[in-house]
Amino acid sequence: MKILVTGGAGFIGSNFIHHILKTYPEDEVINLDALTYAGNLENLAAWKDDARYRFVKGSITDAAIVDPLVAECDIVVHFAAESHVDRSIMDPGIFLETNVRGTHVLLEAARKYSKRFHHVSTDEVFGSLGPDDAAFNEETPYDPRSPYSASKAASDHLVRAYFHTYGLPITISNCSNNYGPYHFPEKLIPLAITNLIEGKSVPVYGDGAQVRDWLHVSDHCRAIDVIIRKGKIGETYCVGGNGERENIWIVRQLLTALGKDESSIEYVKDRAGHDRRYAINFSKIERELGWRPIVTLEEGLRDTVKWFQENEAWWKNVKSGEYREYYEQQYGS
Ligand code: NAD
Ligand code: TYD
């Protein structure tokens, strides 16, 4: 199978490319990535001279680049996006451009060449849960509340519209918060780990009692793999990690793992419109495709801390440059 991966230089996309090239010796991957602040080719240095892997620098919004790549592949697995909620609050425009218009350009190419299309989306499209609400599932109505989740919801609708209107062979996955190697250190877990290693504090928004469901990125990659090979065309699959925890629980685990105490926590102003709780019911993909998460949160966090300790050059590089400006704008120097 020849796979066009969009956004393959980012966190999940690069983990997915490692997974495919390691697991399927017959498969080939083309990675189309614009290399925004979040894209990093160092994530894929191991494959750069491998005949089964090719990198193309370009934007999914550029039909002239997208069209011939889609034409030569069997399937598009679409990760490319602006992915950070806080950035979407600061500047929503690029989220619409990449996540909505970019997805449209890809869908048009897939329609033109009748290609299979898998869209990687988020549980954030379903909105925010109260403490006793049932977890999101494939039937949950959409209720996005941040510019990021609104742009992902719009792209999900567009992908489904191409199935119903043109019969495009699509699948969609909506997953919970990923964590693991190559996670960009603007998100909670890698930001906390790298700040603690650097002797800085961890900014905790509001009371820290917001709940996320944490999914190890390797489990997510296995889920996408099974969906693109065995998933039913036109269907959506919710992918969760069995890892619902309050943010403060996560931060405390990381403090313990890195030998720090509560004085390293800095409670800061809450995020605007902060969603209180996400949770995923993944029984459909478990029942129909035999997938379930296998990495426990405790084990996954231990491994992730170790990965960041062993890959200091990677994140020190990422934390300099363009990202520095964003960080200073958010938290001061
Ligand atoms: P990321 O921000 O780490 O990576 C995004 C990648 O897309 C980067 O390599 C970037 O260069 C690339 N990109 C951005 N704009 C582009 C464009 N116009 N053309 C080509 N490439 C472009 O994101 P991630 O965390 O790896 O997320 C990947 C996908 O998974 C996204 O669609 C996101 O919405 C979804 N998702 C992420 C999570 C999570 O916890 N990280 C959870 C659910 C869903
Ligand atoms: P994040 O990693 O940005 O993912 P998302 O907003 O997509 O869920 O944030 C995870 C949770 O952690 C979210 O409730 C916001 C909170 N958070 C903090 O408390 N401090 C931080 O510095 C960051 C980045 C996030």
Side-chain angles (χ1 to χ4, degrees), residues 207-221:
D207 62 3
Q210 304 81 8
V211 173
R212 297 292 182 266
D213 169 49
W214 294 97
L215 168 69
H216 193 268
V217 66
S218 62
D219 280 330
H220 185 200
C221 292

Side-chain angles (χ1 to χ4, degrees), residues 7 9-13 33-36 38-39 58-60 79-81 83 98 120-122 148 152 175-178:
F11 163 45
I12 308 175
D33 197 297
L35 298 184
T36 68
S59 174
I60 56 166
F79 294 91
S83 68
T98 302
V120 180
S121 191
T122 167
Y148 164 67
K152 292 298 289 188
C175 73
S176 53
N177 287 60
N178 285 220

Side-chain angles (χ1 to χ4, degrees), residues 188-254:
L188 177 65
I189 289 179
L191 177 74
I193 296 172
T194 57
N195 273 15
L196 291 171
I197 296 175
E198 290 180 306
K200 294 182 184 158
S201 57
V202 178
V204 170
Y205 297 170
D207 62 3
Q210 304 81 8
V211 173
R212 297 292 182 266
D213 169 49
W214 294 97
L215 168 69
H216 193 268
V217 66
S218 62
D219 280 330
H220 185 200
C221 292
R222 287 175 39 251
I224 297 171
D225 183 358
V226 79
I227 295 168
I228 63 176
R229 282 161 218 274
K230 295 198 218 149
K232 195 165 159 223
I233 297 304
E235 296 282 308
T236 294
Y237 297 91
C238 281
V239 181
N242 244 347
E244 254 195 83
R245 297 288 192 287
E246 288 188 349
N247 292 339
I248 195 68
W249 183 94
I250 297 283
V251 171
R252 289 194 171 120
Q253 283 286 112
L254 299 176

